[in-house]
Structure formats: C-alpha cells, structure tokens
Amino acid sequence: MIPWYKQLTKPEKRTFWACFSGWGLDAMDTQMYALTIPTLIALWGMTKGEAGILGTAVLIMAALGGWVAGILSDRYGRVRILQVTIAWFSLFTFLSAFTDSFWQLLITRSLQGIGFGGEWAVGAVLISETINPQLRGRVVGALQAGWAIGYGIAVLLTTLLFNYMEPDTAWRVLFAMGLLPALLVLWIRRNIEEAPVYARERAKAQVERVSIWEVFSGPSRATTFKAILLTFGIYGGNYVMITWLPAYLKLVLNLSINNVGGYLAVNILGSFTGAFLNGWMADAFGRRKTFMIIACLQAIAVCIYTMAPINLAVTLVLGFVLGTLQSGTAAGTGAYLAELFPTRIRGAAQGLCGNAGRAIGAVMPTLVGVIGAKTELGLAMGICAGIAYMVVVVAALMLPETRGRDLSKVE
C-alpha cells in the first residue's frame, strides 16, 4: 500500500482522496437502507419481496444515472459532474428520512440511485485518467476500500442510533444524516484538477462531437456487451450479500443489533483488505486472471457461509473472507472498464457498462426475496450469488487483457 502511494504526485493524491471519499460516502448513504431492512419490515409490515424491490430499484436507476453522468462527463468534464452526483445522492438520501410508506421510499431511493451510479462512473473515470498505467490497478482498486469505510460508518451510526433511540425515530435520523456527504463538493471545487487525459482530448475538440450511441456501434459494441456481462456477475453476486447479509444475521442467526454490528464489522474489515489485494493482483498477474480467481473463491465461500452447517465462530471468520473476496471482485472494475474504451466515449462507456451490470444484477436481491419466501433465506442467497460469480468467469474469458494500457492511445 505505502510504496505506490509515495509515487503519486500531489494532484494525483488529491484526486485519489476525492474519489476515495466520494465512494465511501456513497457507500454510507446506500448501505443505510440495507441496515434498516429489518426495522422497516417490522414497522411497515413490508414483505421480503418488497424489501428486495427497494434494493433492486436503486440499482436499476443507478444504471440510468451512471450512463447519463458518464455522457455529461464526456461533454462537460469529469470534476464538474462528480460534484453534481455527490450532491444529488446526498439530497435524496436525506429526503428518504421523511417517507411514510413503501411507495414514498421507493421514489426517493430510486432517485438516490441516479446519483449513486453517476458518482461511481465519473469517479472511476477521473482517477483512471489521472494515474499512470503502472500504478493504475492498485490505485483504482484501492478506491474500493472507501466503500468499506463508508459501510463501516453506516454500521457504526446504525448501532449507536438504534441503541439510544426508538427504532421508529432512529432510522429517520440515520437517513437524515445522509446529507452530510454534500460537504465534500466544496472541497472538490477548490482542490481537484481535471483529468490530464481528458483535458488533452478536449483541447482537440473531439469530445463534444461524439454520439451518445457510439458505445453500441462499430468495434465498441461487442466489448460493451461483454463488459456488461462481467459487471452483471460481479454486482449481482455482491448485491445479494450487501443487501441481505444484515437481515440474514438478524433473522436467520437471531443475532442482536450489537452482534449484527460486530459481525458486519469483521466483514467490512475484509472488504477493506480485499480492495488492496485486487489491485496488487491485477497489476501483478493481469486483470482477467484476477477476476476469475477471486470469483471462483467467492462462489465457494458464499455457499459455505449460507448453506453449510457451520457454527458462529466459523461464521465470524468466514465473514472476513467473504468481505475480502467480495471487495476483490468489484475493486478491479474501475480500471478495467476505463482501459477497454477510448477517451472520447470513456465516461459514457464506464457509466453504462458498470451500471447496466448493476441494473441487471439488481434482479438478484429481488430474486433472493422471492425464493426466500418459499425456502430458507440462506439457501436463496447461496444459489443466486454462486450463479452470478460463475458468470464473472465466463465474461472474463471473453474479454481482452488490458494491464498497463496507455489510455491516451486506446482506439
């Protein structure tokens, strides 16, 4: 971790921390919902199916938000649109605190998803175009650790609020605190420079002449659909666990709110570690091999965690492994997608491929809810996640290796 950070220039370090913070705060706002599922089921009488729909809706809207934000970042700049997306998801997380029904929350959560998908897409492009190729895998992969930090903050806030407030008040206060990430926009406006690769391309006046449909035409078409398949597998599997793990710990293992927080803390610590593991492996062994190895291991780990007769001690330890591998699959997508497409459509392609995969993968949390209504929740989680991670292996086999590519020369 330390050696590559010391090699970064001052502008690169500032960009890294801006994207790291944005991704972390994005995670904090997004994971607040997963942590409040049991409370909303109890207070509103929501079914598991409805809870799954709420989780799926935000991911579907993230696909739209990611594509739109990517297109706008290709035309108006990465830094400017990054600020807009952070302010957007912060506002609608805050407004979720004032909802009183499933349908009201569905609207605010869906709108929050637009900013969620947009922030990831634009931030991933910005950092990929700023960091030199030799360090790109490790630096961009490390951003996934920001997700773990944001998730950890959400768990900490949830544990504190639910310990000292009544549940019907605590969840509202939790969502209201989602407005805080908007403060990051002020820092970004003063400290972050535009990505050098994009700035050079814009100077040639090539950026603004591109059709928004170019990602679906010519040689880009096949790459676009293969990349969407890859991200579908990654996020489909990951969102099964991210969405349903808190409910699994509470409803299936019957853990208290404090114990749920402890188990999630171990899982989150694994997620933090996994981000750095992926970056190192991707730069050392290549992007494709890293995806395939980690996805296979994750499929095995998920099935053991959710379906094998293991005790709580093993569950705790395996939670760390799950977090490491889960973060490990997702951490590589930012750099890899950026390396697949030319600068003139990179923002649109990153937003579309990363978030379309999320949208298609978003059926998985709903599918778990539907299957879980007829069978054990753990079995439903294991089946859905295991299938998704096998899709990752298939997609990685079809895509090219991109380690060390110069983004300014991608055709």
Side-chain angles (χ1 to χ4, degrees), residues 81-360:
I81 303 303
L82 179 64
Q83 297 171 54
V84 173
T85 59
I86 293 174
W88 183 281
F89 76 69
S90 299
L91 173 63
F92 285 102
T93 303
F94 173 75
L95 293 179
S96 295
F98 303 97
T99 58
D100 292 304
S101 68
F102 164 79
W103 292 106
Q104 291 176 7
L105 186 58
L106 179 62
I107 293 172
T108 57
R109 284 287 297 169
S110 297
L111 291 171
Q112 189 258 8
I114 293 176
F116 163 62
E119 190 280 332
W120 178 86
V122 179
V125 173
L126 173 62
I127 191 69
S128 295
E129 292 181 338
T130 301
I131 304 300
N132 72 68
Q134 289 70 36
L135 301 176
R136 188 182 300 125
R138 280 162 285 179
V139 177
V140 180
L143 293 183
Q144 188 67 28
W147 179 276
I149 297 294
Y151 192 1
I153 293 172
V155 170
L156 177 61
L157 290 174
T158 302
T159 303
L160 291 174
L161 290 173
F162 278 82
N163 266 312
Y164 293 100
M165 294 181 179
E166 292 298 318
D168 58 347
T169 300
W171 77 268
R172 293 184 186 277
V173 175
L174 184 66
F175 278 130
M177 296 179 72
L179 189 62
L180 295 176
L183 297 175
L184 178 63
V185 173
L186 302 176
W187 185 83
I188 291 176
R189 288 177 64 87
R190 299 182 60 181
N191 294 282
I192 305 303
E193 301 174 3
E194 190 55 82
V197 172
Y198 174 82
R200 289 194 294 269
E201 193 77 10
R202 188 177 180 85
K204 299 175 185 177
Q206 295 179 6
V207 174
E208 302 186 45
R209 294 198 298 267
V210 176
S211 167
I212 63 173
W213 302 107
E214 186 171 338
V215 292
F216 293 114
S217 64
S220 298
R221 183 188 302 115
T223 301
T224 295
F225 286 113
K226 291 174 186 177
I228 289 174
L229 184 65
L230 177 74
T231 55
F232 156 66
I234 291 171
Y235 291 112
N238 284 4
Y239 282 130
V240 166
M241 303 306 294
I242 288 173
T243 302
W244 285 105
L245 184 56
Y248 176 80
L249 294 172
K250 185 172 180 60
L251 301 178
V252 177
L253 300 187
N254 298 312
L255 299 180
S256 67
I257 187 67
N258 286 335
N259 284 334
V260 168
Y263 274 68
L264 290 177
V266 172
N267 178 258
I268 292 165
L269 181 60
S271 295
F272 184 86
T273 304
F276 299 101
L277 172 66
N278 176 283
W280 174 77
M281 289 180 65
D283 280 342
F285 307 120
R287 314 313 196 208
R288 296 168 68 246
K289 288 182 180 178
T290 300
F291 281 127
M292 289 187 283
I293 292 171
I294 296 180
C296 287
L297 293 175
Q298 178 72 335
I300 295 171
V302 167
C303 290
I304 294 174
Y305 190 91
T306 58
M307 294 189 286
I310 57 178
N311 58 38
L312 290 179
V314 176
T315 300
L316 182 66
V317 174
L318 192 55
F320 178 87
V321 176
L322 276 176
T324 300
L325 297 173
Q326 179 177 297
S327 178
T329 51
T333 57
Y336 191 52
L337 293 178
E339 292 165 346
L340 289 173
F341 298 95
T343 304
R344 67 180 183 278
I345 61 168
R346 184 169 295 123
Q350 184 105 29
L352 174 66
C353 295
N355 290 290
R358 292 178 193 273
I360 302 171

Side-chain angles (χ1 to χ4, degrees), residues 50-64:
E50 288 176 330
I53 289 172
L54 281 169
T56 297
V58 69
L59 302 180
I60 292 175
M61 295 303 289
L64 174 62

Side-chain angles (χ1 to χ4, degrees), residues 362-391:
V363 303
M364 290 302 190
T366 298
L367 189 59
V368 169
V370 173
I371 297 175
K374 299 179 180 180
T375 186
E376 295 180 358
L377 178 59
L379 179 61
M381 293 168 64
I383 291 173
C384 292
I387 292 173
Y389 289 125
M390 288 301 96
V391 171

